[in-house]
Each structure stands twice: as C-alpha cells, then as structure tokens.
Amino acid sequence: MGIPTREAYGRSLAKFGHDKEFFVLDADLSKATQTIFFKNEFPDRFFNMGISEGDMTSTAAGMASCGKKVFTATFAMFAAGRAYEQVRNSIAYPNLPVVIGGTHGGVLIGEDGASHQCVEDISLMRTMPNMTVIVPCDAKSVECLVEKAIDFKTPMYFRTGRLATEDIYGDDATFEIGKGNVLKDGTDLTIIAIGDMVYEALEAAKSLEKEGVSVAVIDMFCVKPLDVKLVQKYAEKTKKIITAEDHNIIGGLGSAVAEVLAENPVAKLKRLGVKDSFGKSGVKKDLQEYFSLNAKGIIDLYKQM
Amino acid sequence: MSLQQKANEMRKLVIEGIYQAKSGHPGGSLSICDILAVLYFDEMRVDPAKPKCPNRDRLVLSKGHAAPALYAALALKGFFPKEDIKSLRNIDSHLQGHPCMNKTPGIDMSAGSLGLGLSSANGMAITGKYDKKDYRVYAILGDGEIQEGQIWEAAMTAAHYKLDNLTVFADINGLQIDGPTLEVMNVGDVAKKFEAFGFNVIKIDGHNIGEIKNAIEKAKNTKGCPTAIVCKTVKGKGVSFMENQVGFHGAAPNDEQYKIAMEDLEKEVAL
C-alpha cells in the first residue's frame, strides 16, 4: 500500500518548492490536506487563510493577477462546493493560473460521512469554462502532475483522496495534460477509471482475464480536457467500455465518456459510480462494498453487457 | 482641468455610455466618480502605455456594476479612446457590462459578482509585500455589497496580514436595488464595523475632493494595518433626477432624461 494522494500533494508541493517560486494557501486544514509539508519548508510562501474558503479562493486570484503561481488546498467539498462561485468568477473567468486543490474527494474518504463526502466536484469543475480537471490515482502520478501544474498557465482543479492507495506507477511514468494513460491493453473490454478506481480496474481486469476476457485499462487522470481520441480508439477496438469513479454517476468521468460515445456510438457503455446519492459513514472497505466501488462492481457491470 | 472637472467629465461619459447601451447602472457609478477622479488623476501610479507594469498601483472595483465610472476614468487617463464608451455593452466592445481584466486595458481584476473583490485586493497586497514592491492597492466596495459575508472574511484577512498597502473605499450611498439599505438589510455603523475588524478608519464626504485626498494621504502614512475610508455619498450624484433615486440603480436614461442629465452636468462644469 502506498501513501494517500493528499499526502503526495503536500509532499510534492514541498519537494518542488525548492526550485520553483509559488504560493500555497490553506483554510485551516493544512494537517489534513498535508500542505503542512510545504508550510514547514517555506513558511514565507504559505498563507493560512483561516476557515474561509471563499476568501481564500479570491485571494489566490489576486496573487495570481500579480504574476504568482498559486496552489490552494481544502476539502473537495469546500474547494469546489462552498467556493464554487469564487472559483468561477475570481479564477476561471479571468483565466488565472491557480491550482484549486480539492482533497478528500468522493465517498471513500470514510467515516466523516455525507457532509464531507463530495460526489459532485468533478461535475461542477468540468462544466466550468477555462478549467482543467485532474484526478490522479497514486502518489507517483500526483508528484508528476503537481510538477506539470506548476508551469500550467490556466486554472486547474486537482482532486485527491484521503486514504492510502495502492501504487500504480513506477519511476519511469509520464503524464501529459489532455491525455490518458493506457495501463494495460486488451481487445474485449476497456475500463476507463480515475482515482482509487484505477487499482480496482486493474484488479477487475486480472479476474476477467482468467475467464478469457481481454481487458484494456486506461487511467484517465485528466478528466478535462478529455482524451477524446483515446476514448474513440478504444471504443472501436473493444466495443465495450466501463467507466469507474468515486463520484456521482451524473456529471463526472462516466458522463464525459458518454458524451463522446453519444455522438459516435461505436461501443456499449456502462458507468460505475455513486448512483446519485449522498455518502454515509463507514470504513473504506465497507463503503466500497456498499457503493459497489470495487473490482467486483466492475465485473458485475461487465456481466450485464 | 481640476479634479472636480475630471469627475464631472467622467459623469458625462457614464451617462453617455449607459444611454447608448440602453442599460447599465448609473446610480452607483455616479456616486464614486469623485473618488475615482482623485485616484486616477492625482494619486495612483499607473501608465496607460504600460497597463500591466508590475509595480503599478492597483484598483479592484469590487462593486463591479459601477464599471461605467471606471471605464470613464480609464478612457480619460488614456488607456483607450473616449469614443469606446459609446460601445459599452455592445457585442463587439471590449467594455463589458462588468469589468473584465482580459478585455479592457487598465482593469486590474475582473468583477461583477459582489463580495469577491476585497479578497482579491488582499491577494495583490500580500504579494506586493512578499515581493518587497511599494505599489498600493485600492478596493472600492458598495454599502449594499458589504452585506456579502465574504467582505468580512476578507476584512479579517487584511487586518491579520497587516496590509497597510491596502486602502478600502466604502461607498455609502444608502441605496440598493430593492430600496434603502436601512430597510433591505441594515448595514449599521460601517465605520465601527471596519474598526472592530482592525482597520484604521477615516470617515469623509465622498464627493469632497479635498477630504478624499487627505484621507488617502493619511492611509499612506498608516503603518501596520489597512485603512478603510468610509465615504458618505449620494447615489446618482450630479444628475438632478437620479440623485437618491433607487430606480436609477440599474436603469438607463431615455432620450429626454439623457438631455436633462447632460444639461445638469454642463451646469456643474460652469460652477
């Protein structure tokens, strides 16, 4: 088991802070978002804004307007939910180079329950003009994508999770904004996944391979702009696609892929996600079973295709 | 041209633009013309030839609906031709209904949605201190606008980070869309509120050029905390039938009203 993606976010900011000058803002959650790693190294470039996510977001815009790269961090619920309008009008409309860090995304954050389990953030951010949406699946991908984000010139939403994830990538991994990564090739089914569900997709692929099904797995860490060419290529190649995400089934990765396939219907599609409901308290494993956000959930969907 | 005359020229451009557009917000634009005249023609270090100069003074018009007043100041300052004002709100115009920093030269922050601007001004002021630059940051807030909670989050931030390079103007014209602020949502003693949040507070007549100049000077000499200049103003100032009329918060003058407004403003110049 690797480290949580939120921890990788904080550690990566601290790592790259040595060579690049950027600001980090937090709203009294630096120990949870793990920006504390950056704060400890670079206290003069870390600004705690107190419990005021809206103020933090518009403040970041003012800094960015003066030529500074800015990373914010708070829970996805507050980053994309509470401060939605500040993200839209202070950052996205002026097209400023701010990375909006949303940690604790999805229902698999565990025990805190529905008030903190944001299942709408990808949807909210994806529909916003000028916004790029990134959802890494492990520590290595977070590190690589934070490094890319530092030099990124326009707004970006960067979603991470709370609990430890399995390591997916090795040291030679590469990432390009606007592209998906094919982790495994196959001919009968393509699973397109993000975040924690990438590991589950690989596990599902292993099981299905044993039954003679050839499965491709794509990590679509960049939900927007979506790698439309890759989706179309695998739609034509495998004729069956399953999307998997810890997010509402409405508006997220599944919807993005469905939009592509609706205009070019060359493959059958099933979407795995939270079925338009709020989350609930529980440990990760129990929540995965409750919401079918696991390999079994993917396999069950495949059997229906 | 005196600052008073500059303010009056700006008011004429405000009326011209809104009349041509057949929509816009004259009341709250006219109430801040004197403040903007002092800022852009006496105080602020800005250069129309280098609108993005890193060490320029910055202004955030948080009450973004008063855009016509800011456009008038920028046009008279030379950021773009005065004639552009006639294209206000047109499909081909760079002059949007509310300020857009990527379309109009001289605009330091996009605005329009109330309550966001003080936070952005704080971000500029914090950055100025970090970069050890001596530029100053100004934010103009409406009295209706300060009903937005984010203003007070931002007020806390400005004091916490000791932003003495930040000066806030509160335009207290007493009216908002649905009526007098006293009736819609009483904002109470705005000066005391800013004082309680840790600001140096100066109360002035927002149409008195001398008082505006003095207040800015005091703000510049205040160290360790931000300054709020609480300005008593008249909504629709300078146009007889618009003064203190809530109906002209967001209504354009018709042909007849346009003529009267321009006559009123010509008289002001004569004075």
Side-chain angles (χ1 to χ4, degrees):
Chain A
M1 188 67 83
I3 60 170
T5 46
R6 61 174 165 133
E7 184 179 335
Y9 184 68
R11 286 186 184 278
S12 301
L13 291 173
K15 178 181 174 182
F16 297 117
H18 288 281
D19 296 326
K20 303 265 187 171
E21 189 193 59
F22 53 85
F23 287 172
V24 175
L25 272 57
D26 205 303
D28 192 40
L29 287 172
S30 65
K31 288 172 195 160
T33 64
Q34 306 281 319
T35 58
I36 193 158
F37 287 109
F38 181 88
K39 176 189 178 179
N40 289 341
E41 296 269 337
F42 311 102
D44 59 329
R45 284 190 271 140
F46 176 86
F47 301 92
N48 205 326
M49 303 306 294
I51 308 168
S52 57
E53 297 79 9
D55 179 46
M56 171 174 76
T57 304
S58 300
T59 303
M63 292 167 163
S65 79
C66 295
K68 289 284 180 274
K69 180 78 197 186
V70 189
F71 287 77
T72 66
T74 181
F75 293 172
M77 187 64 253
F78 315 130
R82 191 183 194 97
Y84 172 84
E85 208 251 358
Q86 286 84 354
V87 173
R88 182 194 186 273
N89 276 322
S90 293
I91 293 172
Y93 174 44
N95 208 15
L96 291 164
V98 177
V99 177
I100 296 115
T103 69
H104 297 61
V107 295
L108 299 185
I109 64 169
E111 297 84 337
D112 271 355
S115 63
H116 285 55
Q117 290 164 311
C118 192
V119 295
E120 311 95 315
D121 54 329
I122 298 171
S123 176
L124 287 166
M125 292 295 114
R126 196 170 72 85
T127 190
M128 196 180 283
N130 288 342
M131 186 60 73
T132 293
V133 179
I134 300 292
V135 187
C137 68
D138 74 348
K140 183 67 193 171
S141 55
V142 170
E143 185 182 308
C144 293
L145 288 161
V146 164
E147 190 174 17
K148 295 257 177 206
I150 293 167
D151 296 319
F152 202 66
K153 304 289 184 219
T154 52
M156 177 185 281
Y157 180 68
F158 200 105
R159 186 206 222 207
T160 53
R162 171 174 173 248
L163 296 173
T165 52
E166 297 289 346
D167 287 328
I168 305 292
Y169 288 98
D171 286 340
D172 56 346
T174 57
F175 296 83
E176 196 180 332
I177 308 292
K179 301 283 182 199
N181 278 347
V182 180
L183 300 178
K184 179 185 171 313
D185 216 338
T187 54
D188 300 327
L189 167 71
T190 304
I191 307 170
I192 304 177
I194 50 172
D196 283 354
M197 298 310 292
V198 172
Y199 173 74
E200 300 299 328
L202 289 167
E203 289 295 298
K206 267 189 222 164
S207 298
L208 287 169
E209 296 272 348
K210 283 179 196 157
E211 297 176 28
V213 185
S214 170
V215 183
V217 176
I218 296 173
D219 171 17
M220 198 59 88
F221 57 87
C222 184
V223 179
K224 183 190 172 188
L226 187 72
D227 191 344
V228 173
K229 277 186 185 162
L230 191 65
V231 172
Q232 281 173 339
K233 181 182 163 187
Y234 275 84
E236 285 180 17
K237 187 172 175 177
T238 66
K239 305 292 181 193
K240 286 178 184 173
I241 290 183
I242 293 174
T243 58
E245 61 193 312
D246 179 7
H247 184 273
N248 197 348
I249 204 157
I250 299 171
L253 172 71
S255 292
V257 170
E259 286 159 18
V260 174
L261 294 179
E263 292 192 355
N264 186 16
V266 294
K268 284 185 182 171
L269 172 70
K270 290 278 182 188
R271 294 169 296 148
L272 182 67
V274 178
K275 295 185 187 70
D276 198 24
S277 69
F278 286 108
K280 66 202 300 268
S281 292
V283 297
K284 183 175 179 179
K285 192 172 169 297
D286 290 345
L287 288 164
Q288 280 191 291
E289 275 171 32
Y290 184 88
F291 288 101
S292 299
L293 293 175
N294 50 21
K296 182 176 178 297
I298 295 171
I299 294 164
D300 288 348
L301 274 186
Y302 176 70
K303 302 269 155 106
Q304 295 168 28
M305 292 180 93
Chain B
M1 198 187 284
S2 71
L3 291 172
Q4 193 73 65
Q5 286 168 319
K6 284 280 187 200
N8 207 69
E9 284 303 301
M10 285 168 55
R11 289 191 164 94
K12 283 196 232 169
L13 289 176
V14 165
I15 295 299
E16 184 67 42
I18 295 172
Y19 171 68
Q20 296 290 346
K22 296 187 172 59
S23 71
H25 300 85
S29 297
L30 294 170
S31 66
I32 62 165
C33 284
D34 303 293
I35 297 164
L36 285 173
V38 175
L39 284 173
Y40 276 93
F41 299 100
D42 189 60
E43 183 54 44
M44 283 172 65
R45 183 171 65 204
V46 293
D47 181 357
K50 294 183 210 153
K52 297 277 181 197
C53 179
N55 207 26
R56 72 188 185 279
D57 289 342
R58 288 157 169 83
L59 181 128
V60 180
L61 183 63
S62 194
K63 47 170 284 183
H65 55 280
L70 180 55
Y71 296 156
L74 294 174
L76 289 177
K77 188 76 181 174
F79 281 90
F80 50 83
K82 241 176 20 171
E83 280 301 300
D84 290 6
I85 297 284
K86 290 184 179 172
S87 72
L88 176 67
R89 292 175 168 239
N90 282 359
I91 187 77
D92 296 325
S93 180
H94 67 92
L95 298 176
Q96 299 296 293
H98 295 79
C100 176
M101 63 187 281
N102 293 330
K103 288 194 168 74
T104 304
I107 301 287
D108 296 313
M109 180 52 65
S110 301
S113 173
L114 294 176
L116 310 185
L118 183 52
S119 301
S120 298
N122 286 341
M124 296 172 183
I126 291 171
T127 306
K129 282 188 173 287
Y130 176 86
D131 285 337
K132 298 191 167 44
K133 291 202 167 114
D134 66 349
Y135 64 76
R136 296 192 63 80
V137 182
Y138 298 92
I140 301 181
L141 316 179
D143 53 352
E145 180 185 17
I146 64 179
Q147 291 160 359
E148 291 279 6
Q150 190 181 338
I151 291 295
W152 303 104
E153 295 178 7
M156 222 180 292
T157 299
H160 180 82
Y161 284 102
K162 302 181 169 57
L163 302 180
D164 50 18
N165 51 351
L166 170 79
T167 304
V168 175
F169 288 90
D171 173 29
I172 312 293
N173 62 37
L175 296 175
Q176 59 189 117
I177 299 181
D178 276 353
T181 49
L182 269 175
E183 291 172 17
V184 177
M185 180 51 65
N186 187 1
V187 296
D189 191 329
V190 177
K192 274 193 184 155
K193 283 189 167 70
F194 273 106
E195 212 170 84
F197 274 81
F199 279 63
N200 167 43
V201 176
I202 304 166
K203 286 164 79 169
I204 63 165
D205 170 357
H207 301 302
N208 184 310
I209 298 290
E211 288 187 28
I212 298 168
K213 284 173 76 166
N214 284 340
I216 292 172
E217 211 48 44
K218 280 185 199 160
K220 285 163 77 177
N221 291 324
T222 300
K223 299 296 168 206
C225 69
T227 293
I229 303 176
V230 178
C231 308
K232 180 77 198 76
T233 59
V234 173
K235 196 153 184 163
K237 176 73 177 176
V239 175
S240 53
F241 61 90
M242 287 185 179
E243 287 194 358
N244 292 316
Q245 294 302 308
V246 77
F248 278 101
H249 170 88
N254 60 27
D255 293 351
E256 192 188 341
Q257 289 167 331
Y258 168 74
K259 269 185 210 157
I260 298 168
M262 285 308 201
E263 281 166 19
D264 284 351
L265 293 168
E266 288 299 335
K267 270 186 243 159
E268 291 269 337
V269 171
L271 286 171

